[in-house]
């Protein structure tokens, strides 16, 4: 049964009826005004329950004091720019490093990303998380030293986190003996620094006649900061010349490392990998594990590189954190326990090369786990150190910024 249309309100003349939105386009400001007018009922003689309808029903009604929120103060809708990795081209990168200002890691960050905004972190783990949580755009962390060997903590963290290696930088380590102004070396009773720095300067300190106690500290720059903050006139620190400038210390001796070829290799980490290329020397880092007996598996893995004339620059084994022990049945002596290992390998080839792709395809047949940590440009800059020179430009590292 058909129903008759609802009668038009008598108080709205036909000639002044409100037109549909499609007939008269509203601007954004008109839309907000209309919505506020519909939702607000004016008070009449202080009575909020008045039967008077909103002003929208009658154009002749006097204007209302609506106290509208300015359109400029309303939340701005998200755009695709807000969802893009920050910063964009030409912006200042935020680079996390472990240590305090004046640390060698800060110098490595400046060499990798000149004019970056360096963010100090008290632990390696914090630097990883700073990138993952978008507090920093990159992290520059040490992985090995020419004298002290690998920094095993960072190799473990590379496997635990999902960051990608996008470049490397090699930084010569230039140690200085620092003390408060006016302090003479013969008045010192203690030298503090990072354990590796103390070991790298042991022979030079003895040759200087410094028969003083050596005490380990968290890092080199933190040791210099401690001497300055505590006003220790009987203590010296081993750190960089930049740390002396930052904390107001004097350099008692410059270049006290026992070996002039003291170089630390750092890797640059990002949330996303870069696109491998073939127009420059590239290096690729992988990690794998195998669950088969004997050494033949490792031999087959290495043979996959040798057969394709791919040079290995590093191989590092670390105990498997989740499966550290493997049980092996032996009828003669019972059950033997062996360590399970993860193998880290760096090789000189880009993942854009067919030979590298074929090598990894073959390796997958012998391994239970394989992950590419990154394929990135090699640092080809020379190792000469100049205390007066500023950090050189990025050595062809992360090309995405």
């Amino acid at each position: 049964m058909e129903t008759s249309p609802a009668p038009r309100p008598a108080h709205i003349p036909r000639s002044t009826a409100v037109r549909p939105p499609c007939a008269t386009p509203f601007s954004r400001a008109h839309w907000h005004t209309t919505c506020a007018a519909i939702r607000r009922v004016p008070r009449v003689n202080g009575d909020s329950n008045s039967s008077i309808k909103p002003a929208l029903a009658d154009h002749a009604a006097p204007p209302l004091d609506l106290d509208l929120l300015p359109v400029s103060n309303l939340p701005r809708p998200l755009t695709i720019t807000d969802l893009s990795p920050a910063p964009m081209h030409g912006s200042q990168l935020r680079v996390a490093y472990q240590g305090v200002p004046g640390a060698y890691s800060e110098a490595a960050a400046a060499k990798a990303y000149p004019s970056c905004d360096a963010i100090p972190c008290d632990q390696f783990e914090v630097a990883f998380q700073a990138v993952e949580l978008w507090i920093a755009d990159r992290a520059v962390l040490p992985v090995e030293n020419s004298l002290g060997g690998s920094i095993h903590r960072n190799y473990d963290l590379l496997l635990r986190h999902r960051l990608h290696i996008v470049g490397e930088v090699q930084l010569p380590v230039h140690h200085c003996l620092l003390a408060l102004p006016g302090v003479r070396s013969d008045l010192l009773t203690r030298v503090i620094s990072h354990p590796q720095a103390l070991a790298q300067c042991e022979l030079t300190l003895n040759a200087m006649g410094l028969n003083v106690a050596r005490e380990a500290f968290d890092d080199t720059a933190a040791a210099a900061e401690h001497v300055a903050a505590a006003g220790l006139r009987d203590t010296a620190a081993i750190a960089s010349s930049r740390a002396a400038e930052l904390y107001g210390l004097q350099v008692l001796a410059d270049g006290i490392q026992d070996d002039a070829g003291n170089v630390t290799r750092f890797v640059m980490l990002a949330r996303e990998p870069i696109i491998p290329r073939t127009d420059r020397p590239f290096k690729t880092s992988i990690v794998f594990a195998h669950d088969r007996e004997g050494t033949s598996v490792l031999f087959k893995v290495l043979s996959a590189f040798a057969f394709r004339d791919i040079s290995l620059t590093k191989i590092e084994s670390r105990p498997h954190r989740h499966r550290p022990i493997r049980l092996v049945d032996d009828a003669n002596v019972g059950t033997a326990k062996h360590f399970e290992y993860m193998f880290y390998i760096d090789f000189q080839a880009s993942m854009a090369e067919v030979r590298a792709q074929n090598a990894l395809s073959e390796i997958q047949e012998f391994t239970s786990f394989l992950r590419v940590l990154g394929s990135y440009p090699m640092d080809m800059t020379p190792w000469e150190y100049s205390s007066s020179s500023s950090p050189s430009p990025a050595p062809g590292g992360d090309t995405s910024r």
Side-chain angles (χ1 to χ4, degrees):
M1 180 176 64
E2 295 182 357
T3 59
S4 59
R8 182 180 300 277
H11 64 282
I12 301 181
R14 182 180 298 272
S15 60
T16 60
V18 178
R19 303 177 66 185
C22 59
T24 304
F26 277 21
S27 67
R28 181 180 176 90
H30 292 160
W31 182 81
H32 283 292
T33 303
T34 302
C35 293
I38 292 174
R39 300 198 328 234
R40 175 153 183 177
V41 177
R43 296 175 180 267
V44 177
N45 297 327
D47 184 8
S48 61
N49 297 322
S50 172
S51 60
I52 297 179
K53 301 301 180 183
L56 184 63
D58 190 354
H59 290 290
L64 302 176
D65 183 13
L66 300 176
D67 296 331
L68 294 176
L69 183 67
V71 176
S72 60
N73 292 342
L74 294 175
R76 181 181 62 84
L78 286 175
T79 66
I80 192 64
T81 304
D82 299 318
L83 305 179
S84 301
M88 301 301 292
H89 291 278
S91 300
Q92 188 176 29
L93 283 171
R94 299 162 295 179
V95 181
Y97 68 93
Q98 188 276 328
V100 300
Y104 293 106
S105 293
E106 184 195 34
K111 182 179 180 182
Y113 300 104
S115 303
C116 70
D117 181 12
I119 303 175
C121 303
D122 62 348
Q123 300 177 35
F124 292 128
E125 174 81 21
V126 175
F128 275 86
Q129 293 185 7
V131 178
E132 289 181 328
L133 298 177
W134 293 75
I135 298 173
D137 304 295
R138 302 287 185 272
V140 175
L141 298 172
V143 290
E144 59 182 335
N145 176 264
S146 58
L147 301 181
S150 298
I151 290 87
H152 297 131
R153 176 61 176 165
N154 283 335
Y155 276 98
D156 294 338
L157 291 174
L158 281 171
L159 187 60
R160 178 182 301 178
H161 294 269
R162 299 298 300 181
L163 299 183
H164 302 268
I165 303 177
V166 296
E168 66 172 5
V169 60
Q170 297 173 345
L171 184 76
V173 178
H174 193 82
H175 291 311
C176 300
L177 187 66
L178 312 180
L180 289 173
V183 173
R184 303 196 312 268
S185 58
D186 57 340
L187 300 178
L188 298 175
T189 61
R190 183 177 59 159
V191 173
I192 62 175
S193 190
H194 188 275
Q196 282 199 8
L198 292 173
Q200 293 167 5
C201 301
E202 180 68 23
L203 298 179
T204 303
L205 292 178
N206 292 335
M208 294 173 59
L210 293 180
N211 187 18
V212 296
R214 277 76 156 168
E215 292 186 13
F217 218 79
D218 293 337
D219 60 76
T220 57
E225 181 185 35
H226 177 67
V227 171
L232 303 177
R233 303 193 64 83
D234 63 341
T235 304
I238 296 176
S240 65
S241 58
R242 171 169 165 77
E245 298 174 1
L246 289 176
Y247 303 114
L249 301 178
Q250 66 171 335
V251 178
L252 294 179
D254 190 11
I256 63 172
Q257 61 274 3
D258 298 336
D259 193 330
N262 186 0
V263 180
T264 299
R265 175 174 171 251
F266 296 78
V267 292
M268 297 122 77
L269 305 175
R271 289 178 292 272
E272 299 293 336
I274 61 173
I275 300 176
R277 295 159 56 175
T278 59
D279 60 343
R280 65 182 67 179
F282 256 67
K283 182 183 292 185
T284 300
S285 299
I286 66 172
V287 56
F288 68 88
H290 66 84
D291 54 5
R292 302 182 186 181
E293 285 295 324
T295 59
S296 60
V297 173
L298 182 58
F299 174 79
K300 292 177 181 178
V301 170
L302 299 181
S303 298
F305 293 108
F307 178 75
R308 295 169 176 85
D309 197 26
I310 298 177
S311 299
L312 302 184
T313 60
K314 182 179 179 63
I315 179 169
E316 176 88 10
S317 62
R318 297 286 296 150
H320 199 309
R321 296 181 65 89
H322 300 292
R323 292 170 45 192
I325 300 296
R326 174 171 22 122
L327 301 180
V328 181
D329 292 330
D330 192 324
N332 296 326
V333 297
T335 300
K337 296 181 180 181
H338 297 264
F339 278 106
E340 286 279 7
Y341 289 98
M342 306 291 293
F343 293 91
Y344 294 81
I345 287 181
D346 294 343
F347 59 89
Q348 292 181 352
S350 170
M351 284 304 300
E353 300 180 54
V354 176
R355 60 172 184 158
Q357 299 170 9
N358 291 340
L360 293 191
S361 296
E362 181 178 340
I363 291 173
Q364 282 185 310
E365 301 177 6
F366 313 117
T367 59
S368 58
F369 167 79
L370 174 64
R371 175 180 162 191
V372 178
L373 298 173
S375 188
Y376 47 93
M378 295 176 58
D379 183 2
M380 305 300 293
T381 57
W383 286 3
E384 288 82 2
Y385 176 85
S386 177
S387 59
S388 60
S389 62
S390 58
S392 58
D398 180 3
T399 57
S400 64
R401 291 291 179 264

